[in-house]
């Protein structure tokens, strides 16, 4: 995860303070809990899943 945050910061698309870890987001398929969520410099949001085990809550 640290390498991902550093890469986004070096690419100047997100600052280290723009990251939130394991935050629940509501989607049409139900709640999604990715490893991290980042607010990008252009105002969009990216979900980051490192270990491919993104749980959903029923």
């Amino acid at each position: 995860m640290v390498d991902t945050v550093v890469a986004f910061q070096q690419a100047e698309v997100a600052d280290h303070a723009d990251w939130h870890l394991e935050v629940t987001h509501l989607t049409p398929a139900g709640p999604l809990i990715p490893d991290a969520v980042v607010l990008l410099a252009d105002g969009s949001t990216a979900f980051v899943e490192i270990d491919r085990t993104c749980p959903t809550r029923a």
Side-chain angles (χ1 to χ4, degrees):
M1 191 71 221
V2 172
D3 292 338
T4 303
V5 173
V6 170
F8 275 64
Q9 188 167 350
Q10 288 176 340
E12 298 181 358
V13 294
D15 187 59
H16 70 278
D18 296 327
W19 290 83
H20 303 278
L21 302 179
E22 298 183 357
V23 177
T24 302
H25 287 272
L26 298 178
T27 70
L32 173 71
I33 308 169
D35 288 333
V37 177
V38 60
L39 177 62
L40 301 174
D42 67 1
S44 62
T45 301
F47 297 97
V48 179
E49 182 60 38
I50 302 296
D51 55 16
R52 298 183 188 184
T53 58
C54 188
T56 58
R57 293 186 184 165

